[in-house]
Amino acid sequence: MSAKHPIISVTGSSGAGTTSVRQTFENIFRREHISAAFIEGDAFHRYGRAEMEQKSVEARAQGNLHFSHFGEEANLLAELEDVFRNYAENGRGRTRHYIHDEHDAAIHNAPVGAFTEWVDFPRGTDLLFYEGLHGAAVTPNVNIAQHADLKIGVVPVINLEWIQKLIRDKSIRGHSHEESVEAILTRIPDYVNYICPQFSDTDINFQRVPTVDTSNPFVARWIPTADESMVVIRFRDPRGIDFQYLLSMIPGSFMSRANSIVIPGAKLDLGMQLILTPHILKLVERRRRAS
């Protein structure tokens, strides 16, 4: 952790909505005139799409049926920790971009499923913002969580996550239902061992919970909407949080525990703006005093 070079990490499981959360942070940064360096978590995947498919085949041939992007083997976690450490020390580091689709490919002049070249962060940024799968990862080999000054978890309940994956895989990626179910089964051990533990170390968690029946996610025909959801917001340390202010500002909200508030799903952006802006400003003010 660093006063001069703070780091914010947003950790979310696949399909958790971390991209929309990044947009919320970008709005805060723009409004408050904060310059940020950005890391997309998939920039630190170890393999591109074609190589990942080949490695999965090889892993299965060797008896490993659970090789996935959630696990340590398929990611450059040591390198990611080095970037966090270096940024905390001197405000420097590097990242790259993973080419997701044809639009990305046209922008970066690179094939889908590949990576761009590594590039250095801009000089003189106020903070580093990470969004991906491993922003609070702790394993026997790495401790990424220790370097982040503000750790945010964004995660849907697991039935909702599976519904999102099944529907998006079919509609966007053209995968069959059977292929998506197989992918879910493959990822479960890494999800349990690498993803879930991070949400115990985060400072604030935003967990989306559907208010419609998702008992069997494997037959769902649509993703529950924001209006059909609630968001449970948990603070690891609730001291200093003005819950009465939040309850008055967010219609339909209520407290479920002494460290948790529940808000309507459609109010997620408002809730994040109200909760996170003071935390971000505190980090930036501390940086400017230290500098």
Side-chain angles (χ1 to χ4, degrees):
M1 298 173 71
S2 169
K4 287 187 177 181
H5 307 291
I7 297 171
I8 298 173
S9 68
V10 175
T11 300
S13 49
S14 181
T18 50
T19 300
S20 61
V21 172
R22 170 171 169 164
Q23 292 169 355
T24 298
F25 273 92
E26 288 177 337
N27 289 335
I28 297 173
F29 297 156
R30 182 171 57 253
R31 186 181 67 235
E32 303 298 338
H33 307 290
I34 296 168
S35 63
F38 290 92
I39 292 179
E40 300 166 346
D42 45 20
F44 284 80
H45 287 335
R46 189 178 299 276
Y47 308 111
R49 184 174 299 176
E51 191 176 7
M52 183 65 182
E53 292 174 357
Q54 179 59 37
K55 292 295 181 181
S56 296
V57 171
E58 293 174 3
R60 285 182 173 275
Q62 296 169 6
N64 177 6
L65 305 181
H66 305 295
F67 180 74
S68 80
H69 275 134
F70 288 166
E72 189 168 13
E73 187 178 350
N75 291 280
L76 302 172
L77 296 190
E79 289 82 350
L80 178 60
E81 183 179 15
D82 284 342
V83 172
F84 273 39
R85 181 187 297 109
N86 290 336
Y87 188 87
E89 291 175 354
N90 54 43
R92 298 179 185 178
R94 66 174 190 166
T95 188
R96 59 183 177 177
H97 181 73
Y98 177 75
I99 308 298
H100 290 94
D101 50 35
E102 295 296 341
H103 178 68
D104 259 1
I107 293 174
H108 296 283
N109 193 29
V112 174
F115 298 101
T116 63
E117 296 296 323
W118 294 98
V119 295
D120 292 333
F121 295 146
R123 293 292 184 91
T125 53
D126 292 314
L127 55 82
L128 172 62
F129 179 85
Y130 167 93
E131 169 261 311
L133 292 173
H134 301 101
V138 179
T139 77
N141 302 310
V142 301
N143 185 343
I144 296 170
Q146 68 179 325
H147 302 290
D149 299 86
L150 178 62
K151 298 183 286 291
I152 308 296
V154 182
V155 58
V157 293
I158 197 162
N159 276 17
L160 178 56
E161 179 171 346
W162 289 348
I163 289 172
Q164 291 178 151
K165 176 169 178 55
L166 289 162
I167 291 177
R168 289 171 179 170
D169 275 3
K170 181 177 180 179
S171 61
I172 298 175
R173 299 169 182 166
H175 295 174
S176 69
H177 181 80
E178 291 73 21
E179 288 173 329
S180 297
V181 172
E182 180 65 23
I184 290 171
L185 293 174
T186 297
R187 294 175 175 181
I188 284 177
D190 281 344
Y191 188 91
V192 171
N193 291 319
Y194 293 101
I195 303 301
C196 287
Q198 296 183 76
F199 301 119
S200 295
D201 289 332
T202 43
D203 299 300
I204 307 171
N205 282 339
F206 296 84
Q207 184 176 42
R208 185 175 165 204
V209 182
T211 57
V212 294
D213 184 15
T214 59
S215 303
N216 185 355
F218 300 101
V219 299
R221 296 182 179 179
W222 57 83
I223 300 170
T225 66
D227 286 328
E228 296 173 325
S229 306
M230 302 294 285
V231 177
V232 179
I233 306 170
R234 188 273 295 172
F235 300 86
R236 185 171 63 174
D237 182 1
R239 289 177 296 179
I241 304 299
D242 191 342
F243 287 103
Q244 284 304 122
Y245 171 73
L246 295 175
L247 292 172
S248 68
M249 292 296 292
I250 307 175
S253 61
F254 61 92
M255 291 189 67
S256 57
R257 283 187 175 176
N259 68 341
S260 301
I261 184 172
V262 182
I263 68 173
K267 299 297 183 181
L268 175 59
D269 180 70
L270 173 61
M272 285 190 160
Q273 297 267 355
L274 293 171
I275 291 167
L276 297 175
T277 299
H279 287 275
I280 295 169
L281 292 178
K282 187 181 298 184
L283 291 177
V284 173
E285 178 60 27
R286 187 181 69 176
R287 160 185 158 74
R288 291 171 180 168
R289 286 199 308 267
S291 299

